[in-house]
Amino acid sequence: MGQIEEAAYAVNRARWDEVVALHVASPFYRVKEFLDGEDSRLPIERAELGPVAGKRLVHLQCHFGMDCLSMARLGAEVTGLDFSPKAIEAARALAGKAGISARFVEGNLYDAPALLAGERYDIAYVTWGAINWLPDIAGWARVVAEVLAPGGFLYMIEGHPYAMTLDQRELTAPIVATYPYWHKPEPLVFRSDVSYTGEDTKLQNEEMREWIHPVADIVGGLLEAGLRLEFLHEHPRLAWQLVPSMLEDEDRMWRLPDGHPNLPLALSLKAVKDR
């Protein structure tokens, strides 16, 4: 990594280390419901991914591992990877509490092939607020291709890069395109003293450094890495409240209010490694 990437990595890891305990306790993540048997994934993810029983699955950027454990409970052989040692510690503790077997590995996404000791998987799983922390989307695509077995596939569902350009300063203000859509080497720098989960708990690590990756860069990177695109879907809803005026639907996803232009808020795709 260069100096820009190293600095961003350190800043972002400090924030994610801090929010892990808050997220495990947050109603947003529904840990209690998961421990009672609920699948932590959203209905859209379950429908698009399909059955996972008997599959070897790696969740890249898995946070504290609850989605990993939901899929392991359904019969997948699961490995989760995350750069936050606090997240990996929490994932292992949650696995023990739930009585579910899964492997969790700490480390940089770009080191995944080595960290996973050459393991190859049927499914690489990437969801919700993952690739915006990565400086190099083509490098990410090469990692995905390397960890997949022949015939395996990537399933990704993410915030739409166009949606990531939007901002709304307050509830009654207009929603406007504020941030650049086209990728730049320098990260966007954001500050917030609270988490997206909605608690009032004040955070010491306020800074976040992120990148927007255009659709062409995401798809182009996967194609260059040798994967074949099987589907690409755009969605008018998102897994979190991106701007203050968004409203929550009954299935825990968020949409823009009635009367607002219908914009793409999420993007999902499946890309297959044929050989």
Side-chain angles (χ1 to χ4, degrees), residues 34-35 64-65 69 89-102 104:
F34 160 76
L35 290 170
F64 66 89
L69 297 173
E89 180 183 337
R92 291 169 178 161
L94 185 61
K97 191 170 185 178
I100 299 172
S101 176
F104 291 101

Side-chain angles (χ1 to χ4, degrees), residues 120-175:
R120 298 293 182 265
Y121 298 88
D122 303 310
I123 302 171
Y125 183 80
V126 177
T127 61
W128 301 126
I131 64 173
N132 53 299
W133 306 102
L134 302 176
D136 177 8
I137 201 66
W140 164 82
R142 290 191 294 271
V143 166
V144 168
E146 190 167 349
V147 302
L148 284 173
F153 66 88
L154 163 71
Y155 174 71
M156 184 190 83
I157 186 164
E158 263 287 9
H160 197 290
Y162 174 74
M164 299 303 101
T165 72
L166 303 177
D167 194 21
Q168 184 182 34
R169 297 301 181 183
E170 56 186 26
L171 181 61
T172 58
I175 301 171

Side-chain angles (χ1 to χ4, degrees), residues 41-114:
R41 299 169 301 157
L42 294 169
I44 189 172
E45 299 160 51
R46 300 198 295 268
E48 290 191 330
L49 179 59
V52 296
K55 303 294 186 181
R56 295 165 297 161
L57 184 148
V58 61
H59 186 176
L60 301 173
Q61 299 168 270
C62 69
H63 197 22
F64 66 89
M66 194 162 59
D67 285 356
C68 293
L69 297 173
S70 285
M71 291 182 285
R73 183 188 270 154
L74 292 170
E77 181 184 331
V78 175
T79 297
L81 182 141
D82 199 89
F83 76 154
S84 164
K86 295 290 187 182
I88 294 301
E89 180 183 337
R92 291 169 178 161
L94 185 61
K97 191 170 185 178
I100 299 172
S101 176
R103 175 190 180 202
F104 291 101
V105 178
E106 175 196 334
N108 189 328
L109 177 283
Y110 296 108
D111 297 330

